[in-house]
Amino acid sequence: MAVHDHSHRHLGFRFPSLRRTGTAPAHAGTTTVAATATRAYVVAGLRLLTGFVFLWAFLDKTFGFGYATQSGKGWIDGGSPTKGFLGGVAAGPMESTFHDWAGAAWADWLFMLGLLGIGLALTAGIALRLAAVAGTVMMALMWIAEWPPAKHLSDGSPSMSTNPIVEYHVIYAVVLIALAAAGAGATWGLGKAWARLPIVSRNRWLL
């Protein structure tokens, strides 16, 4: 019986040469650049969509497109952007305070200017830090007005709250803060040009 010795025939197998690993960093670098670009586009898209949410709210409440604000009851027609929402607050520690604010001219102007300013800032990609601060304050007040922790309204009816802490106002606030922290205005926006303005260069809080 013939026995074949293959002890010297394994030389066809080769371990990867350490001298060829120089190609890996180049590939990794390309992947990193592509991933960074993708993240920038995703964040920019989120910024634009969030900006449209605020701009649409402003436009609908101003002109009464028939969605959240009925036709003929827009701000331009003499309606109040805050009367319905604040007047309908039925839970929480600031219920009576919000009722007092409902329909007040100063409340209408602050609310509408806030919606417009935040919407324009996000859409243009400028003053995102200011937009984040103003938007967070606005979302906090609206959270208090809806008061998700309440299981029942002041009249005893169920509040229908789906989450006692985290609901959409909290999510919007976190998104605004994240967009500002990420410098989301540099892509698909005027963020870079805005940052080069002398007044912004001297006051970084305007970024």
Side-chain angles (χ1 to χ4, degrees), residues 116-193:
L116 178 61
I118 295 168
L120 290 177
L122 291 174
T123 303
I126 62 176
L128 296 183
R129 293 182 181 180
L130 284 176
V133 172
T136 299
V137 172
M138 180 184 291
M139 293 300 105
L141 288 172
M142 295 179 76
W143 185 91
I144 295 172
E146 293 196 3
W147 200 246
K151 292 183 179 180
H152 297 87
L153 302 179
S154 54
D155 62 1
S157 61
S159 68
M160 305 302 290
S161 175
T162 58
N163 190 307
I165 300 174
V166 180
E167 42 79 83
Y168 67 102
H169 292 110
V170 175
I171 301 301
Y172 277 132
V174 171
V175 168
L176 289 171
I177 294 170
L179 291 174
T187 302
W188 295 342
L190 304 175
K192 292 181 179 179

Side-chain angles (χ1 to χ4, degrees), residues 187-206:
T187 302
W188 295 342
L190 304 175
K192 292 181 179 179
W194 175 260
R196 289 195 295 267
L197 293 177
I199 188 173
V200 178
S201 299
R202 293 192 300 270
N203 301 278
R204 306 305 289 175
W205 56 271
L206 291 173

Side-chain angles (χ1 to χ4, degrees), residues 13-184:
F13 178 81
R14 294 288 187 273
F15 285 101
S17 173
L18 295 178
R19 290 175 297 179
R20 299 173 61 184
T21 58
T23 58
H27 176 70
T30 302
T31 302
T32 302
V33 170
T36 301
T38 299
R39 283 194 294 270
Y41 293 139
V42 169
V43 172
L46 178 61
R47 188 197 84 234
L48 292 172
L49 290 173
T50 307
F52 182 71
V53 169
F54 283 88
L55 281 181
W56 176 262
F58 170 80
L59 293 173
D60 183 55
K61 293 179 183 301
T62 299
F63 300 104
F65 290 150
Y67 291 91
T69 304
Q70 297 179 11
S71 299
K73 294 188 176 181
W75 195 26
I76 197 172
D77 300 308
S80 171
T82 63
K83 187 174 182 179
F85 177 69
L86 294 182
V89 172
M94 294 184 63
E95 180 179 350
S96 59
T97 301
F98 285 134
H99 289 172
D100 292 337
W101 292 356
W106 65 266
D108 289 344
W109 276 96
L110 280 179
F111 180 56
M112 295 299 280
L113 288 177
L115 289 177
L116 178 61
I118 295 168
L120 290 177
L122 291 174
T123 303
I126 62 176
L128 296 183
R129 293 182 181 180
L130 284 176
V133 172
T136 299
V137 172
M138 180 184 291
M139 293 300 105
L141 288 172
M142 295 179 76
W143 185 91
I144 295 172
E146 293 196 3
W147 200 246
K151 292 183 179 180
H152 297 87
L153 302 179
S154 54
D155 62 1
S157 61
S159 68
M160 305 302 290
S161 175
T162 58
N163 190 307
I165 300 174
V166 180
E167 42 79 83
Y168 67 102
H169 292 110
V170 175
I171 301 301
Y172 277 132
V174 171
V175 168
L176 289 171
I177 294 170
L179 291 174

